[in-house]
Amino acid sequence: MSKTTNIMIVGVGGQGTLLASRILGNCVIGEGFDVKVSEVHGMSQRGGSVVTYVKYGEKVWSPIIDKGEADIILAFELLEAYRALPYLKSGGKIIVNDQKINPMPVITGVKEYPADILGKLKSSVNVTSLDALSLAKQAGSIKAVNVVLMGVMAKNTSIPYEKWVETVKDTVPPKFLEVNLKAFETGYNL
Amino acid sequence: MKKLLLGNAAVAQGAYEAGVRFVSSYPGTPSTEITEIIATYPEDEVYCEWAPNEKVAAEAVIGAAIAGGRAMTCCKHVGLNVMADPVFTDSYIGVNGGAVFCVADDPGMHSSQNEQDSRHYAKASKIPMLEPSDSLECKEFTRMAFDLSEQYDTPVFVRLSTRVSHSQSLVEIGERKEIPLKDYKKDIPKNVMMPAMAIKRHVVVEERTDKLIKFAEDTPLNKIENNGSKIGVITNGISYEYSREALGDKVNYFKLGLVWPLPVNSLKEFAEKCDEVYVIEELDPFIEEHCRAIGIKVHGKECFTLLGEYTPAMIKKAVLGEDSAEFTGINEEIPARPPVLCPGCPHRGTFYVLSKLGLTVSGDIGCYTLGAVAPLSSVDTTICMGASISASHGMAKVRGKEFNSKLVSVIGDSTFMHSGITGLSDIVYNKGANTVIILDNSITGMTGHQDNPTTGKTIRGEATKQVDLIKLCKALGIEHVTVADPFDVKNFEAVVKEETARDEVSVIIAQRPCALLKTVKYTGHCEISDKCRKCKMCMKLGCPAISVDKNGNVSIDVTQCNGCGLCIGVCPFGAIEKKD
Ligand SMILES: Cc1ncc(C[n+]2csc(CCOP(=O)(O)OP(=O)(O)O)c2C)c(N)n1
């Protein structure tokens, strides 16, 4: 069918996945692609699993990504990366922040947080993992985790570096620009 | 200029370009952003407001339209239930300036309490309904809805769904067309709906429907795409995008942009040229039943589902018999991550106390519905907005005094203004003795921070009169109204005990602002000291920042904790300390 690049961004409500998908979407239109970004608002944002999709190419129809169709999964949290695994295309890549956030069933002791998720992912698919939290701290703010991750992902797309920097400049408030540019670079040069 | 816009933003843009002058809505996912975006347009061009509920919003819109201005209200699917009364009669009155009712369904229930299909309302109220399938159509269809409304003298529905409302795609931005106010003329036969007039207006409505069916036969809102296939697909909304992705040029399409009334002859003609016809629509078999009624043989729900959302893979399998892409499975159970009350949420204090006291909790809709999630597991019932109070009235009347002394209702500030006041007056009037807790977090939280009549600010952020909840309750005839901070758990518990024991109706206003408000500044974080005796009292709070390991050691995740300090007051050993 239509050949599109499919990127799935997953995380926990409140981690800034929405901003990441918007930066990505805006970056892509400048390149002359058709693009669709599918977001989630409302209930699930309250600390629940959050999934957004970004698709671009000559023509995009469905805004959602089916199982086995994501070229890249950008995961803000380990368990969410694992949950999203079936969505990865064969030959696709997972970029994962190795932070763990316990979901309520784990907190209350009803369920266990699966052991060695990173090992399990690495044994079956192509994975880049990083400690985005520390990298963001080094860049100047722990709030810039999402932009560090964007940087890593940017490296894995065909969109030129300058275009990304320009989009970050357009999307982030001036007050936080320096930190965010530094965070982006950290991720990009990882 | 092309811009990447949310479907909701595109609806707002379409209304703006159509010269809309008046927008009144009550928030509700997935429709909320439409009105929020309209509030960013110049005030001298569009008046915009949050109404206390959908019925009020729709009535205001109907009034604005009768007075000659183009007007719109936006709501979620269940909001349409609330505004159904004026909507059905406005179908008879029609409009003067164009009126658009925009309603967003939520297949898959991403953020809703049911999965109703709003198309039934169009048919039942005999009001035409347009349904876009991407942002570009959101803008175009909304613009056209206003023209259609004036042309046929009817309000017009624009139906959205979560994936259309909350997906961004490219839209060409146009200019606003200023539409002068239409003249206002007193017209009793048209605008006063009492039997003698309404009998005559019903005739007009049926004639209008006949005209609209003719319009449906060749309107550009509906699109036929002939790919020379023997398979035909009749579809609408987001299902069109999914079908197009899954089936490409392998089938012919009849894409319905006008989902009520549906055409007859053009659908028949389309079907005659195909060997097999599939109706691909989420939720109810609305188009399917129409096709069967006019004698078209179709495949429908037996190949798909009445439940939740469709996907391209599902459609590919059903129509072409092709499997979806291969994928890597996971062979262990992955713990779910349900939404939870945020760290610092004021509702947590309330539910901690209600849970501790083992009370029956007649719940309502808002962030505080999450009080039903373990470990708080406090809420007994959730029905619809406002029902916490009225349902508890019914409970108390059938089960009596003893039961009532262990029963409370919980309702948010926005929900109380929406439809809680009438229920409360029912209790007072009919000699009930319930205890109602108004969870006043100074904002409409669930839908993303909208102001409401209790916050003292308008949608544009201007200062305005603020409803005084204490005086309001007193005016209804309630003598015992107490304000208490839910984070002062000891006092809050004492207040709840006292008020539930009382054989009179009472209201507790649990007052503490939402932790996500910019004005709320919790700092630092909490830490467990070596005084901890592993009693796990703090675990009963269901705070996402506090967890316990296999050995019973409790810890606080600093990246999650915002330092609200609720846990400090709950710990019996003083083992939780605040750090900078
Ligand atoms: C009829 C109807 N309209 C709108 C909604 C969407 N909605 C769910 S909860 C809510 C408001 C909640 O605000 P509030 O009562 O102040 O509680 P909070 O979320 O702030 O705790 C809204 C608008 C709905 N579920 N039903």
Side-chain angles (χ1 to χ4, degrees):
Chain A
M1 308 295 127
S2 51
K3 293 259 178 307
T4 55
T5 300
N6 300 339
I7 299 178
M8 192 165 159
I9 303 180
V10 302
V12 178
Q15 278 192 305
T17 49
L18 204 61
L19 181 71
S21 64
R22 288 188 170 184
I23 293 182
L24 177 57
N26 278 308
C27 191
V28 180
I29 27 170
E31 294 297 286
F33 289 117
D34 187 23
V35 56
K36 284 192 178 165
V37 180
S38 179
E39 311 182 342
V40 272
H41 300 215
M43 190 81 160
S44 54
Q45 276 180 300
R46 306 267 169 266
S49 298
V50 179
V51 179
T52 63
Y53 308 105
V54 180
K55 295 175 78 169
Y56 60 96
E58 205 177 309
K59 170 74 194 164
V60 183
W61 294 105
S62 159
I64 64 161
I65 297 174
D66 268 309
K67 283 184 182 156
E69 292 199 331
D71 295 280
I72 299 178
I73 294 175
L74 183 65
F76 282 46
E77 199 267 352
L78 268 175
L79 181 61
E80 296 313 309
Y82 198 26
R83 198 192 307 283
L85 178 63
Y87 286 83
L88 197 68
K89 192 183 265 178
S90 73
K93 179 172 188 131
I94 298 188
I95 299 164
V96 57
N97 174 22
D98 66 12
Q99 189 182 354
K100 273 189 189 177
I101 300 176
N102 286 334
M104 204 39 80
V106 171
I107 288 177
T108 55
V110 182
K111 292 273 152 63
E112 264 181 52
Y113 197 99
D116 189 27
I117 291 178
L118 212 49
K120 288 172 191 161
L121 291 177
K122 282 184 174 162
S123 72
S124 54
V125 297
N126 184 355
V127 181
T128 300
S129 69
L130 63 149
D131 178 358
L133 206 61
S134 307
L135 293 172
K137 241 184 245 166
Q138 279 167 33
S141 165
I142 97 171
K143 294 221 170 90
V145 167
N146 52 2
V147 184
V148 172
L149 286 161
M150 288 300 293
V152 187
M153 192 194 60
K155 195 69 178 274
N156 286 279
T157 65
S158 59
I159 300 154
Y161 176 80
E162 294 70 36
K163 179 71 211 171
W164 284 101
V165 170
E166 201 184 299
T167 316
V168 173
K169 279 184 184 159
D170 289 346
T171 336
V172 171
K175 215 166 69 177
F176 304 112
L177 186 59
E178 209 188 307
V179 177
N180 279 291
L181 282 178
K182 217 168 143 195
F184 182 80
E185 240 168 79
T186 311
Y188 197 87
N189 294 323
L190 199 76
Chain B
M1 183 192 42
K2 270 195 178 171
K3 266 174 95 172
L4 194 53
L5 288 189
L6 272 182
N8 280 349
V11 169
Q13 180 66 26
Y16 178 73
E17 289 178 18
V20 71
R21 282 169 184 267
F22 182 94
V23 177
S24 178
S25 307
Y26 182 73
T29 317
S31 73
T32 312
E33 297 82 10
I34 305 169
T35 308
E36 288 179 323
I37 290 164
I38 291 200
T40 66
Y41 298 145
E43 224 172 330
D44 55 346
E45 291 180 334
V46 195
Y47 170 84
C48 178
E49 68 178 25
W50 288 130
N53 70 30
E54 292 87 351
K55 178 173 183 286
V56 172
E59 289 157 351
V61 161
I62 291 166
I66 289 175
R70 289 192 161 188
M72 176 169 79
T73 185
C74 310
C75 64
K76 71 182 290 160
H77 58 335
V78 288
L80 183 50
N81 302 338
V82 176
M83 68 188 233
D85 194 11
V87 163
F88 273 72
T89 301
D90 193 41
S91 176
Y92 283 34
I93 292 176
V95 300
N96 182 18
V100 171
F101 306 144
C102 186
V103 53
D105 285 9
D106 189 15
M109 292 181 274
H110 296 268
S111 212
S112 302
Q113 69 267 36
N114 78 20
E115 206 172 19
Q116 70 189 46
D117 188 330
S118 296
R119 292 176 296 174
H120 299 294
Y121 272 99
K123 188 176 179 184
S125 65
K126 307 182 189 218
I127 293 174
M129 178 177 267
L130 275 48
E131 182 169 2
S133 62
D134 65 6
S135 297
L136 182 62
E137 284 188 353
C138 281
K139 192 194 92 163
E140 289 306 312
F141 283 20
T142 306
R143 220 172 35 77
M144 289 159 83
F146 283 99
D147 293 339
L148 202 64
S149 169
E150 288 172 9
Q151 195 182 337
Y152 286 89
D153 193 9
T154 174
V156 173
F157 283 120
V158 172
R159 180 196 187 222
L160 307 169
S161 65
T162 298
R163 296 292 180 186
V164 171
S165 282
H166 287 164
S167 292
Q168 300 190 48
S169 58
L170 293 170
V171 177
E172 189 75 44
I173 305 294
E175 298 279 311
R176 177 176 170 90
K177 201 165 99 191
E178 273 314 328
I179 308 281
L181 276 182
K182 296 261 179 78
D183 291 339
Y184 173 74
K185 284 194 299 286
K186 183 164 178 156
D187 188 347
I188 292 175
K190 184 169 189 290
N191 294 334
V192 180
M193 283 305 96
M194 51 203 250
M197 284 76 166
I199 286 167
K200 295 200 178 103
R201 290 303 300 174
H202 189 181
V203 178
V204 176
V205 169
E206 297 308 333
E207 286 166 358
R208 180 180 76 204
T209 300
D210 287 341
K211 286 184 203 146
L212 281 164
I213 293 172
K214 290 204 184 78
F215 169 76
E217 296 294 352
D218 54 11
T219 168
L221 289 163
N222 297 336
K223 236 175 34 190
I224 296 173
E225 232 174 282
N226 192 335
N227 292 314
S229 169
K230 285 285 153 201
I231 304 175
V233 163
I234 302 171
T235 182
N236 68 314
I238 195 66
S239 304
Y240 169 70
E241 305 290 319
Y242 295 163
S243 302
R244 210 57 195 64
E245 169 128 350
L247 312 172
D249 300 339
K250 292 179 186 161
V251 302
N252 303 333
Y253 296 93
F254 198 122
K255 175 186 181 299
L256 290 156
L258 182 66
V259 291
W260 194 88
L262 292 163
V264 176
N265 294 332
S266 54
L267 277 175
K268 280 186 182 165
E269 254 171 59
F270 174 80
E272 271 162 21
K273 296 196 191 105
C274 306
D275 295 341
E276 305 283 336
V277 178
Y278 290 83
V279 176
I280 305 184
E281 56 183 330
E282 288 181 333
L283 302 183
D284 293 345
F286 188 81
I287 300 168
E288 181 183 336
E289 282 170 1
H290 171 77
C291 287
R292 293 195 203 281
I294 61 172
I296 305 178
K297 230 180 112 206
V298 294
H299 302 288
K301 288 292 162 185
E302 79 279 8
C303 308
F304 300 97
T305 174
L306 292 161
L307 312 173
E309 298 185 278
Y310 283 11
T311 66
M314 176 198 281
I315 294 167
K316 202 167 168 182
K317 180 84 188 158
V319 178
L320 302 178
E322 291 174 17
D323 284 324
S324 49
E326 282 188 18
F327 61 86
T328 317
I330 306 168
N331 43 21
E332 72 180 299
E333 199 202 336
I334 297 199
R337 191 185 296 276
V340 287
L341 294 173
C342 302
C345 178
H347 303 326
R348 180 169 287 110
T350 302
F351 288 117
Y352 171 78
V353 169
L354 301 183
S355 176
K356 185 176 170 195
L357 297 176
L359 301 181
T360 300
V361 178
S362 177
D364 219 301
I365 306 208
C367 288
Y368 51 93
T369 308
L370 294 171
V373 178
L376 291 164
S377 309
S378 170
V379 173
D380 284 65
T381 55
T382 296
I383 306 159
C384 66
M385 290 189 72
S388 57
I389 299 181
S390 11
S392 79
H393 175 60
M395 287 177 181
K397 287 288 178 191
V398 297
R399 297 206 76 93
K401 205 164 158 177
E402 175 67 25
F403 188 83
N404 189 38
S405 70
K406 297 229 124 219
L407 171 69
V408 294
S409 315
V410 291
I411 185 164
D413 47 70
S414 183
T415 305
F416 182 68
M417 293 310 298
H418 179 280
S419 45
I421 302 168
T422 40
L424 194 52
S425 81
D426 183 30
I427 293 176
V428 178
Y429 170 51
N430 291 303
K431 304 183 177 181
N434 301 59
T435 303
V436 171
I437 306 180
I438 301 175
L439 305 167
D440 181 9
N441 62 352
S442 315
I443 201 75
T444 313
M446 180 88 271
T447 40
H449 284 185
Q450 291 75 32
D451 280 290
N452 69 52
T454 72
T455 68
K457 276 207 215 106
T458 68
I459 191 170
R460 291 189 189 264
E462 290 156 16
T464 183
K465 286 232 162 81
Q466 185 173 10
V467 168
D468 184 329
L469 288 173
I470 303 173
K471 279 195 192 150
L472 174 62
C473 294
K474 295 225 157 147
L476 288 173
I478 298 159
E479 312 221 336
H480 307 281
V481 183
T482 316
V483 178
D485 177 1
F487 270 25
D488 181 352
V489 283
K490 283 202 184 74
N491 178 58
F492 196 78
E493 185 179 331
V495 170
V496 173
K497 275 186 178 155
E498 186 177 338
E499 297 308 326
T500 45
R502 201 191 289 285
D503 197 20
E504 270 177 278
V505 53
S506 57
V507 170
I508 302 168
I509 302 175
Q511 215 162 48
R512 178 169 275 260
C514 169
L516 302 183
L517 281 173
K518 287 212 171 71
T519 46
V520 174
K521 290 197 166 54
Y522 295 118
T523 54
H525 64 272
C526 299
E527 235 175 63
I528 311 272
S529 78
D530 49 16
K531 283 191 242 161
C532 176
R533 306 248 204 104
K534 304 185 184 178
C535 75
K536 303 207 197 95
M537 253 340 237
C538 56
M539 292 304 301
K540 297 204 168 138
L541 289 170
C543 175
I546 314 178
S547 51
V548 61
D549 68 12
K550 277 192 209 117
N551 304 321
N553 295 314
V554 180
S555 62
I556 295 179
D557 177 351
V558 290
T559 65
Q560 295 288 305
C561 176
N562 66 356
C564 80
L566 174 65
C567 52
I568 297 175
V570 166
C571 177
F573 303 106
I576 304 180
E577 290 165 7
K578 183 80 180 279
K579 294 278 151 84
D580 290 336

